[in-house]
Amino acid sequence: LVYDSTYGVYAIVGMPDHYYCNGHYYRMYGDIWEVSIGLDTNWAPATRVSLPSGLKAKTMIKSKRHNGKAVASAAQRKGKHK
């Protein structure tokens, strides 16, 4: 683990878009964040509320780079994450 001060979470070395914060692992899978208690256990969609604030900011930056503006996915707009 390497602390990423930009996002306030630990980055998992050798695993792009994988992070650790306060006992939970987070990863970007497609266009959604997933959360787990371990790297080798089941992953579940993370709610926006459950994401560390730095990862919320990372999502906005990634969206801006991708579309030219931050736009929530259809699942996020409906409050569902599949």
Side-chain angles (χ1 to χ4, degrees), residues 3-80:
Y3 188 71
D4 184 335
S5 61
T6 301
Y7 301 113
V9 295
Y10 289 90
I12 313 253
V13 177
M15 300 180 79
D17 291 325
H18 283 69
Y19 302 91
Y20 178 82
C21 184
N22 295 328
H24 291 87
Y25 292 89
Y26 298 89
R27 71 178 180 187
M28 179 61 82
Y29 186 75
D31 65 345
I32 65 165
W33 284 102
E34 292 185 327
V35 62
S36 178
I37 59 170
L39 291 172
D40 58 352
T41 60
N42 293 333
W43 290 87
T47 63
R48 183 152 174 83
V49 172
S50 71
L51 281 178
S53 59
L55 295 183
K56 290 176 192 174
K58 182 174 175 62
T59 302
M60 295 300 286
I61 291 167
K62 189 172 184 174
S63 295
K64 287 179 182 180
R65 287 181 185 157
H66 186 278
N67 307 28
K69 60 182 178 179
V71 178
S73 69
Q76 289 170 323
R77 288 191 299 271
K78 292 179 182 178
K80 299 177 183 176

